[in-house]
Each structure stands twice: as C-alpha cells, then as structure tokens.
Amino acid sequence: MDLAAQVQPEFLGLILNGPIYAAVLCFCAQIRFGHVGHEAWFINTVPPRINILIMPQIRPTSSCYSDEQLTTYLLHIGVPSAVDDELSLDSVERIIRHHVTTIPFDNTEMHYTQSGYINSDPQVVYTRVITEKKGGTLCHGLHFLLLGMLLKLGYRGYHIMARMGSFRPSPDPHVITGLEHQAMLLQIPAHEETYFVDIGLNLGFTRPALLKEGHEFEGFAQKRFRLIRGRHAESPLTGADGEEWRFQTNRDIYWNIIPDPGWHTVFAFSEQPYYMKDLENFNWLSNNRPGAFLKQNVVVGAFKRTPDWALLGLVLLFRDKVTLRTEAGVEILRELKSEEERITALKEHCGIVWDPMEATKYIAGRPSALNNGDPLA
C-alpha cells in the first residue's frame, strides 16, 4: 500500500500544519499542484484512494470605493439593506441579480462619442453609471464596480481574464480566442470554496458558480452551465499545469439549444490574478484593436425583472435588431432602419439616452453605423 493511502483523517491536521508536510509530499505517488479553487492543492494517488484538499484563501484587499459610494450603489440597484446582511452566497446572489437587472452591458459610448473610447477606471465607471445614470459599460467596468462593492462589504476576490469561445455558429464549438473577457473569482470569509462570477456577457446566471471540476447548474431560461478542465491546444505544459477551466453552456450565443454533444465553450480561464495595469491594457485593446467585435457592433444587453427581482427576460439590442429572450424563446421586438430609430429604441427598451444629433454625428462613417455594411443575420 502506498504512503498516501495510509494517511488517516485524524492525522491530517498534523500533516498539513507540521514540518513533515513537505516530506509527505515527496513520498506520495503523484503530486498535483497549483489551482486556486476546488482542486487547489492536493495529493492524488494512483489509483486515487485519497484526495487531501488544502484550500488557499484569497487575502482581504481594500476597495477603491468609500462607504458613501457603497451606500449609494446599493440604493441604486435596489438593495440598501445588503450593507447589514450576513456575508453569504445568498447575499452575493441577491446583489448580482439586482446589479444585472439595473445596470446593462452597454458599448454605446464607444460609438456615439467623439473619442469612441470607454474608460473603465472604477471611479469613472461609478460616476457614469451610478451618479449620472447614463446606462452601463463593458465587462471590465461592470466587474470593477461589482467586485469593488463586494470587497467593501467584506468579501474576498480578484479579477481574472478569459479567452472567448466562438461567438458565431462554428464547426468547432470550442474555438478559443486570445484573452478578451474580464470576470472574477470570489470567496466568502469563513468558507473554503472559491466561486466563479461573470456579469459581463448577459449569460443569465446570477448565483456564483462553485469552482469545481464537473460542476453543473441551471441558469435563466433553462440554460445549463458547467465548469470542466481542459487543455489549450497550444499549451507546452504537461499534466495539470497545462490545463485551464472551461465554462460551457448548452446553448449558443443566440440561445439556441446546441445539438449533441451539447456543450459550447463560452470561455476558458485560469486562476491567474490580473492587476489594474493589466486590466487597463485589456480595456485599451477592447476599445482600439482593429476589427474588434465591440468596435464593429452596437451591443446592449439589459435584463428585465419581475416585481420580486427575478429575471424575466433579456432585451438585446444588437446592430439593427431589438430582441427579447425569455424561457419561451427569442422574439424580435423591433427592426431598426436608421440611427434615429436605434437611438429611440435604446431609450424605450434599455433606458439609455443619447442626444440624436450628437450621436448620429459621431457614429457616421464608423463600421457600426447602420448604413455601413449588411445587417448580421
């Protein structure tokens, strides 16, 4: 019998905290390192008879927001009482649900302003979205705002970057791009688990997802999601070091159910934290990279809610169409034939207001203008 198989549960505290921990690792049949999450640091024997899970904790970090800003934010999204709530998964879910049904994904500032640039600095985002109530922002700003407020409440977390799956129907449902999308990992104090949170793609799940191999759960409109481990085709690393997380769904970007094998990779990510300077660079690329998806298209996703704040449907304005996506399917609400119609639709369906004269002046000649190119089917 190998050494790891003989380790008794009552002896784990001595092994994990004592000086002989390193020696035990050296003698185990197989050692696997380095994932912040459910499979964080563990010993795995072959055959696997024991898994010793040592969950690393994300250290407490300060928020860039003040107590006053936290109070104003919670009031804006409709949960002023959250400041007194116990730190829990249910409390985080309630905040996220209120956040996504109040603050849309919104890239109109990229198209209807002279600069064509969306600044995702956390204080700039706060001023635009909370103080001035001018709509929403990109995934970068949405996560800066949400994580900053969760840190202020006492949660622990950090930002990650993800490689996107294919946005369009593709023979390969696992096409992976470069790092483009921002999300976060979160921990609740006094709990061991790590959770994955994403509010930047209007995916329809508001409960943080347990970062665990094979974890599967249901979101809005009967969408299924799961987290698995996978390997990037270009990774030079072997074993677990060459793996990354794959976040998958059973529906494509248009919410159509995917035929067998039934899973589409939305994005792939690792537990690597990214810092403010990194994220500023990624935001710059989102705004300036030639041919970037968001530079080519006006996109707004605004969740609608019931009186008790349950998700009711997603209003998606994408180029020349406004659609409503619910459990019943996708309904076309409006087809847009001019910039003036699109600006009106933004106000009526998404609550986003632009001055028609200014907006039409700045978008003229840009790839996203309705009179430039054919609408996307």
Side-chain angles (χ1 to χ4, degrees):
M1 181 180 295
D2 56 66
L3 177 61
Q6 300 180 51
V7 177
Q8 298 299 314
E10 59 269 22
F11 196 53
L12 292 183
L14 175 60
I15 292 178
L16 302 185
N17 296 309
I20 62 172
Y21 173 55
V24 172
L25 288 180
C26 291
F27 282 100
C28 286
Q30 182 182 0
I31 304 175
R32 195 174 175 190
F33 294 97
H35 300 302
V36 177
H38 182 76
E39 295 185 348
W41 290 77
F42 61 88
I43 308 166
N44 188 28
T45 67
V46 180
R49 304 178 197 173
I50 184 171
N51 268 354
I52 302 175
L53 177 64
I54 311 170
M55 178 63 68
Q57 294 295 303
I58 300 172
R59 68 178 180 86
T61 51
S62 60
S63 171
C64 63
Y65 296 120
S66 67
D67 291 337
E68 181 181 358
Q69 286 176 311
L70 172 64
T71 300
T72 304
Y73 163 79
L74 293 176
L75 185 64
H76 178 76
I77 66 172
V79 280
S81 63
V83 71
D84 298 317
D85 287 350
E86 179 184 354
L87 300 184
S88 69
L89 194 60
D90 288 340
S91 292
V92 175
E93 181 182 16
R94 187 161 71 107
I95 291 169
I96 293 174
R97 192 183 330 118
H98 281 240
H99 184 112
V100 301
T101 54
T102 306
I103 304 170
F105 177 93
D106 169 17
N107 77 339
T108 55
E109 190 179 7
M110 188 179 286
H111 306 281
Y112 289 142
T113 61
Q114 184 175 12
S115 69
Y117 188 84
I118 297 180
N119 189 337
S120 289
D121 175 86
Q123 294 299 339
V124 173
V125 171
Y126 180 89
T127 298
R128 171 181 167 77
V129 174
I130 307 301
T131 306
E132 299 177 351
K133 299 180 175 62
K134 287 186 176 179
T137 186
L138 303 181
C139 64
H140 309 289
L142 291 172
H143 286 102
F144 281 138
L145 182 61
L146 177 62
L147 181 57
M149 295 305 174
L150 291 176
L151 293 177
K152 193 66 181 177
L153 285 167
Y155 295 94
R156 301 174 183 179
Y158 61 85
H159 298 287
I160 59 172
M161 288 297 297
R163 298 178 175 87
M164 297 297 302
S166 175
F167 263 98
R168 302 167 185 267
S170 167
D172 180 2
H174 309 295
V175 173
I176 303 295
T177 68
L179 292 171
E180 296 182 9
H181 181 60
Q182 187 170 327
M184 70 175 79
L185 295 183
L186 190 72
Q187 289 181 351
I188 301 168
H191 293 255
E192 291 185 341
E193 294 84 1
T194 300
Y195 295 91
F196 169 76
V197 175
D198 178 74
I199 59 168
L201 281 181
N202 297 126
L203 294 171
F205 76 99
T206 56
R207 192 169 184 83
L210 181 64
L211 196 65
K212 175 183 177 181
E213 166 72 28
H215 177 56
E216 188 173 329
F217 62 100
E218 186 170 304
F220 175 70
Q222 300 178 4
K223 293 177 74 173
R224 301 291 304 174
F225 300 97
R226 72 175 182 180
L227 281 160
I228 64 169
R229 301 289 293 174
R231 179 177 301 278
H232 194 290
E234 298 176 20
S235 175
L237 302 177
T238 60
D241 292 329
E243 294 180 352
E244 58 189 356
W245 292 100
R246 298 285 175 91
F247 185 74
Q248 298 185 323
T249 180
N250 68 337
R251 293 180 182 247
D252 64 21
I253 196 66
Y254 304 107
W255 289 31
N256 300 312
I257 295 177
I258 299 170
D260 290 338
W263 292 101
H264 168 85
T265 296
V266 183
F267 39 71
F269 63 94
S270 72
E271 303 89 344
Q272 169 68 40
Y274 286 85
Y275 311 111
M276 186 57 69
K277 288 297 183 183
D278 303 320
L279 300 170
E280 287 174 358
N281 289 341
F282 285 117
N283 183 69
W284 187 90
L285 287 172
S286 296
N287 279 274
N288 293 284
R289 183 168 60 84
F293 178 83
L294 294 177
K295 292 291 286 186
Q296 302 290 320
N297 301 283
V298 174
V299 185
V300 175
F303 272 108
K304 302 303 178 182
R305 61 174 178 84
T306 64
D308 61 353
W309 294 88
L311 297 186
L312 181 63
L314 173 67
V315 171
L316 180 66
L317 187 149
F318 180 53
R319 290 195 69 172
D320 65 334
K321 291 184 179 67
V322 182
T323 57
L324 175 64
R325 294 154 190 251
T326 66
E327 293 188 0
V330 180
E331 174 189 358
I332 297 178
L333 299 180
R334 193 164 180 175
E335 297 193 32
L336 311 170
K337 299 179 181 178
S338 68
E339 273 319 321
E340 289 77 9
E341 287 188 9
R342 182 154 64 181
I343 292 166
T344 299
L346 282 167
K347 180 179 179 180
E348 292 179 355
H349 295 284
C350 307
I352 297 173
V353 179
W354 286 99
D355 178 87
M357 291 187 62
E358 289 289 303
T360 53
K361 176 177 71 174
Y362 291 129
I363 199 172
R366 289 176 172 170
S368 55
L370 279 180
N371 60 346
N372 286 355
D374 297 325
L376 183 65

